[in-house]
Amino acid sequence: MRRHRSPDLRAWLSIHDVMPETLDRVASLIAHSRAQGWAPATLLVVPGKPWKGAALAQLRRWHDEGHALAAHGWLHRALHVRGLRHRVHSALISRDAAEHLALDRASIGRLMQASHDWFGEHGLPLPTLYVPPAWALGDMDRASLRALPFRHIEVTSGIIHTESGRLEAQPLIGFEADQRWRAHALQTWNRAQITLARRTGRTLRVGIHPHDPELALSAALERVLAQPPGREPTGAAAHYQAPPVH
């Protein structure tokens, strides 16, 4: 069957919450997206989980196959709720995932540094991209980010270049909807973000979570995967997107 492509879109694919307990689902998403014609994905690895030999070996294989590895928090779980902002964010978006929002600036910096260092300690390539869980960076300023070893930080509104502190706006779509109202909200958000990408020519970020194919927006996810982008990403995405496999 001839696959339809979206020639007017630039896009890159990231798979979130790569943990020992999600590897089978991640493998399925990788296989399916590659079969649909997508370039290798960026895999968002949660270092603080109980990684062992076989799971680490799988990360190395995926990297060798062309997938980029990025750091994604430490535990991907906030141990407590800190303040009104975190409470609202937790209720509407992140539940207990936004671990940065429970921490002060110094603690966030230590978490991000530990997340980066974990890769080298386990024989994996050091990541240049950091994605805070739920895209919630928390109380971090430009100077604090510049002192860390990451070149790019991904947040909801786009990509922060740590050297300059500049935010590169990039549309973002997602599919993690485990309740009806979340599904309606995400559908509205996704439509607006895709329209923005088409009108501006900006790279569209497609964020997938391991359980998305089982949730309310599975059909919408499938429609997006069935239309791989016809053009290569530009801007920051071109720097940390995995190279094509030949």
Side-chain angles (χ1 to χ4, degrees), residues 33 96 185 189 220:
S33 63
D96 68 346
W189 169 272

Side-chain angles (χ1 to χ4, degrees), residues 165-215:
R166 181 176 67 89
L167 172 68
E168 179 184 342
Q170 285 188 0
L172 167 69
I173 62 174
F175 307 90
E176 194 177 28
D178 57 355
Q179 294 181 2
R180 183 175 298 179
W181 71 267
R182 290 178 185 268
H184 289 313
L186 264 179
Q187 283 178 316
T188 300
W189 169 272
N190 287 350
R191 282 194 293 267
Q193 295 291 291
I194 291 171
T195 297
L196 179 63
R198 293 187 190 280
R199 288 179 177 174
T200 63
R202 294 173 184 165
T203 298
L204 178 69
R205 293 173 290 154
V206 180
I208 305 178
H209 292 77
H211 291 276
D212 286 354
E214 305 160 24
L215 299 179

Side-chain angles (χ1 to χ4, degrees), residues 113-218:
Q113 183 69 56
S115 185
H116 174 274
D117 294 347
W118 177 89
F119 287 78
E121 292 165 0
H122 291 82
L124 296 166
L126 294 175
T128 60
L129 171 66
Y130 182 84
V131 186
W135 293 281
L137 183 58
D139 181 24
M140 292 295 280
D141 58 10
R142 293 182 181 182
S144 300
L145 293 178
R146 193 161 47 244
L148 291 167
F150 298 102
R151 292 176 57 196
H152 308 290
I153 311 292
E154 183 183 352
V155 293
T156 304
S157 53
I159 309 297
I160 299 170
H161 300 261
T162 57
E163 184 174 348
S164 65
R166 181 176 67 89
L167 172 68
E168 179 184 342
Q170 285 188 0
L172 167 69
I173 62 174
F175 307 90
E176 194 177 28
D178 57 355
Q179 294 181 2
R180 183 175 298 179
W181 71 267
R182 290 178 185 268
H184 289 313
L186 264 179
Q187 283 178 316
T188 300
W189 169 272
N190 287 350
R191 282 194 293 267
Q193 295 291 291
I194 291 171
T195 297
L196 179 63
R198 293 187 190 280
R199 288 179 177 174
T200 63
R202 294 173 184 165
T203 298
L204 178 69
R205 293 173 290 154
V206 180
I208 305 178
H209 292 77
H211 291 276
D212 286 354
E214 305 160 24
L215 299 179
L217 294 183
S218 59

